[in-house]
Amino acid sequence: MSGHCLGLSVLLSFALAVAPKLAVAADACQHLTATGNPDYPPYLWRDPHDPGRLIGANADLLKQVAKELGLVVDVVYVGPWSRAQEEVNTGRVDMLAGYFRTQAREQLVDFVSPPFLFNSSVVWVRKGEGFAYSDWSDLKGRRGGTLVNNSHGQAFDDYARAQLVLEAVPSVTQAFQKLLLKRSDYVIFEHYPGLALARMLGKEQALEVLDPPVSSEGLYLALSHKSGCNKPALREQLARKMKALVGGPLPEQLVAENLQRWQRQQTGQ
């Protein structure tokens, strides 16, 4: 056999060996995993009929985007919010279905613009025991609560670290309980999820919200830097499809539908 033919034979053998591996990799990236905050109705919460799955407005929107791109995305429960972030940061899960954008987080994930929803973080207090509040400085000198690894936007996060006393706990249920036991003066948490969880706990009448919100931040899809599927082409496809969807009424419709869905589940309907 000539050297030329031998070279072609080696190249052909190499191509045949590599092709199946490339096909497997391509197929793997047609089926991705996502997770998020499991205590975040109507955006995300555990499916009572399948506790290993997260459901809600964020999951529904992500699945719609995936379907239109010919992808399958499983939105899975992996533990509390801090654990969910860790699973994505390490690449064991491909993406987060709903993440506020901060400089620290940009070191670990790629945010898909535009955001698909905006969410207000507010000051929760005991009913009838509010205090004069018009801006962040009015929180100084008081004991606050928040969630572990939670963000309320870069600006507020920076201010809170420098100026406020905020105890981070694993769940908003725990944060509300500490508030009602007078072990804290206020809790910083998002409005709709806080309202939904207060209703679930039967504490809606014991809590109230102070105006104005501390922040209003966009919720993004976020792809792990360590996900093998995080490629420019996928990010571009997701961004293009997300831009088309958020230009219409679908995101807000999904929030309204899932708020009703959550409430039905709590009343056993």
Side-chain angles (χ1 to χ4, degrees), residues 33-36 54 76-96 99 108-109 149 222-228:
T33 54
T35 192
L54 295 180
V76 297
Y77 171 74
V78 295
W81 183 217
S82 56
R83 175 67 181 275
Q85 293 173 79
E86 179 63 19
E87 290 295 296
V88 172
N89 292 343
T90 58
R92 289 189 290 267
V93 175
D94 296 302
M95 70 177 83
L96 283 162
Y99 211 25
L108 299 166
V109 297
N149 287 351
L223 280 161
S224 172
H225 284 174
K226 294 188 177 180
S227 166

Side-chain angles (χ1 to χ4, degrees), residues 101-118:
R101 191 168 193 160
T102 70
Q103 293 171 357
R105 291 173 175 182
E106 287 176 344
Q107 307 306 308
L108 299 166
V109 297
D110 286 308
F111 288 87
V112 177
S113 294
F116 56 87
L117 283 167
F118 282 85

